[in-house]
C-alpha cells in the first residue's frame, strides 16, 4: 500500500524486496520550525532506522473494519504566522459588490427622472383648474313700479321691476322679478251714523238665519248693523253677499268692482212686534258712475227670481216692480202674502236694500 511505502525508512530495502534506497538528507517543515524556534539554523531531518519487521509466518487476514473516511482539515501550526517574510494571503475584493452599487445608483437616477416627468408633464394634464374668481357685483338701488289689484276679499299687490347689476366688465344683466306681498285686511267703514247695535258674522246670512243671530239688544224697534268677514278676517264684498243670498252674478255687468269693499254691511231691523227683517247697504267707489251703476243694478236685481230668500218663511208669489214714494226714491215689489215686500233705492251713491218698508226708511234715516 502507499502508506506502507511512505513510512519506510530511507536507505532500507523496500518491503517485498528490491534495491535499498540511497541515503538522502530530508528536511521537513517540522524540523525547520523546531530549529527556528530554538534559535539555530535549520537542520536536516534524520529519521531513525527502524528494525526490520519480521516476516509474518502466516498471511494477515484483511481487517473487516471499514476504513474511516471522515476527512479532517489539517491544522496549521501556530508558529507559521511568525515566520519572517510570510503574511496571510490577501483575498481579492469581490467585483459583485461594486457592480451592485452601480446598478443601485442607476436605478435611483431612473426613479428621479420618472418622478420629474410625472410631476411636471403628466400631473398638470389631470390637475383640476380652479375657476377664476367671479367679479364683484354691485347692485344699484332701483325704483320699481307697483301695481295694486283688489279682487274679492283680499287685496294682492303685484310688483314687477327691472334691476341692473353693474360688473367690472361693464356687462349689463336685466331681470324681472314679481313679488306678491300680502296686504293687511281692510278696516270696515260703517255707513251708519246711528244704530242700536253692531255685530259680526263670519259668513253671509239669509232670512232663515235671522232667528239664530244674537243682536245684543232687546229694543223694539231697533236697527242693528252686521259686518261680514271671512275666517281670515277679510271683509266679504257686496258681490259675494248677493251671490250667496240670491245667486245673482254681477261679474258680467261691471258691478263686481263697482262697490267699495270697506263700505259694505248688512242690517237687521226689528219691528215693534219683534219680527226681524234683513237688509243691506253698499257704497259705490269714487271711480264708479252713479247713473250707469244704478241702471245696471236695477236691471239685474229686478230680474232675479230668488228674492224670497230675504224672508224666514215663504212670502208667496212675487208681483211686479213699481216705483215708490218720491221722498224715498224707492222701487218695490210685493208678494202674495200680506206684509211681504222688497224695497231698494239710493241715497247719493249709497245703495239700500230692505225686506221691510219700515226697515228701509230706518236705514235711510240712520245713514250719515
Amino acid at each position: 500500500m502507499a502508506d506502507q511505502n511512505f513510512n519506510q525508512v530511507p536507505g532500507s530495502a523496500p518491503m517485498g524486496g528490491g534495491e535499498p534506497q540511497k541515503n538522502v538528507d530530508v528536511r521537513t517543515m517540522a524540523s525547520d520550525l523546531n530549529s527556528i524556534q530554538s534559535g539555530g539554523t535549520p537542520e536536516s531531518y534524520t529519521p531513525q532506522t527502524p528494525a526490520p519487521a519480521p516476516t509474518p509466518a502466516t498471511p494477515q487476514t484483511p481487517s473487516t473494519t471499514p476504513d474511516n473516511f471522515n476527512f479532517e482539515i489539517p491544522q496549521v501550526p501556530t508558529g507559521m504566522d511568525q515566520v519572517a517574510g510570510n503574511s496571510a494571503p490577501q483575498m481579492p475584493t469581490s467585483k459583485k459588490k461594486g457592480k451592485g452599487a452601480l446598478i443601485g445608483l442607476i436605478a435611483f437616477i431612473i426613479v428621479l427622472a420618472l418622478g420629474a416627468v410625472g410631476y411636471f408633464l403628466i400631473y398638470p394634464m389631470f390637475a383640476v383648474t380652479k375657476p377664476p374668481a367671479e367679479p364683484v357685483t354691485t347692485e344699484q338701488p332701483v325704483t320699481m313700479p307697483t301695481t295694486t289689484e283688489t279682487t274679492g276679499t283680499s287685496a294682492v299687490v303685484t310688483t314687477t321691476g327691472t334691476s341692473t347689476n353693474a360688473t367690472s366688465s361693464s356687462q349689463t344683466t336685466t331681470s324681472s322679478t314679481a313679488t306678491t306681498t300680502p296686504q293687511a285686511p281692510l278696516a270696515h267703514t260703517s255707513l251708519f251714523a246711528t244704530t242700536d247695535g253692531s255685530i259680526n258674522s263670519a259668513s253671509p246670512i239669509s232670512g232663515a238665519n235671522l232667528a239664530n243671530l244674537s243682536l245684543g239688544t232687546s229694543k223694539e224697534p231697533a236697527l242693528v248693523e252686521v259686518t261680514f268677514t271671512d275666517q281670515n278676517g277679510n271683509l266679504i264684498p257686496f258681490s259675494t253677499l248677493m251671490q250667496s243670498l240670491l245667486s245673482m252674478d254681477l261679474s258680467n255687468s261691471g258691478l263686481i268692482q263697482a262697490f267699495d269693499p270697506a263700505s259694505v254691511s248688512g242690517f237687521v231691523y226689528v219691528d215693534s212686534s219683534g219680527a226681524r227683517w234683513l237688509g243691506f247697504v253698499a257704497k259705490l267707489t269714487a271711480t264708479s258712475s252713479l247713473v250707469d251703476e244704478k241702471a245696471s243694478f236695477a236691471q239685474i236685481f229686478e230680474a232675479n227670481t230668488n228674492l224670497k230668500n230675504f224672508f224666514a218663511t215663504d212670502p208667496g208669489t212675487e208681483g211686479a216692480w213699481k216705483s215708490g214714494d218720491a221722498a224715498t226714491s224707492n222701487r218695490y215689489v210685493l208678494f202674495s202674502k200680506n206684509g211681504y215686500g222688497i224695497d231698494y233705492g239710493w241715497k247719493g251713491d249709497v245703495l239700500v236694500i230692505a225686506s221691510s218698508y219700515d226697515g228701509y226708511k230706518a236705514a235711510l234715516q240712520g245713514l250719515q
Side-chain angles (χ1 to χ4, degrees), residues 235-296:
L235 296 173
I236 299 177
F238 178 72
S239 59
T240 303
L241 295 175
M242 294 296 100
Q243 178 69 32
S244 176
L245 178 64
L246 305 176
S247 299
M248 186 171 68
D249 187 6
L250 301 179
S251 60
N252 296 327
S253 63
L255 291 173
I256 192 170
Q257 295 181 354
F259 295 94
D260 184 3
S263 302
V264 176
S265 60
F267 65 88
V268 177
Y269 175 71
V270 183
D271 62 16
S272 57
S273 64
R276 296 182 177 186
W277 307 93
L278 179 62
F280 296 91
V281 292
K283 182 179 181 180
L284 293 174
T285 62
T287 58
S288 299
S289 173
L290 179 60
V291 176
D292 295 338
E293 307 305 345
K294 286 176 67 174
S296 297

Side-chain angles (χ1 to χ4, degrees), residues 338-351:
N338 188 24
Y340 291 93
I342 300 292
D343 293 82
Y344 80 92
W346 297 81
K347 183 179 180 179
D349 58 354
V350 178
L351 171 66

Side-chain angles (χ1 to χ4, degrees), residues 296-353:
S296 297
F297 182 79
Q299 182 180 3
I300 297 173
F301 187 71
E302 292 182 9
N304 191 272
T305 59
N306 297 314
L307 296 177
K308 62 178 63 178
N309 292 336
F310 272 91
F311 306 103
T313 60
D314 185 9
T317 304
E318 182 181 342
W321 283 93
K322 300 177 181 180
S323 295
D325 190 355
T328 58
S329 301
N330 67 310
R331 291 277 293 175
Y332 71 95
V333 63
L334 298 178
F335 292 85
S336 59
K337 289 185 178 181
N338 188 24
Y340 291 93
I342 300 292
D343 293 82
Y344 80 92
W346 297 81
K347 183 179 180 179
D349 58 354
V350 178
L351 171 66
V352 180
I353 306 173

Side-chain angles (χ1 to χ4, degrees), residues 108-135:
F108 179 75
I109 295 174
I110 292 175
V111 170
L112 290 180
L114 293 176
V117 171
Y119 183 82
F120 292 102
L121 297 180
I122 299 177
Y123 175 77
M125 296 173 62
F126 297 95
V128 178
T129 304
K130 183 179 180 180
E134 296 182 357

Side-chain angles (χ1 to χ4, degrees), residues 162-201:
T162 302
S163 60
T164 303
N165 296 332
T167 61
S168 58
S169 59
S170 301
Q171 296 179 351
T172 304
T173 303
T174 303
S175 61
S176 298
T177 58
T179 305
T180 301
T181 304
Q183 189 175 7
L186 291 175
H188 178 256
T189 302
S190 177
L191 297 175
F192 292 103
T194 58
T195 60
D196 298 310
S198 178
I199 63 174
N200 294 327
S201 176

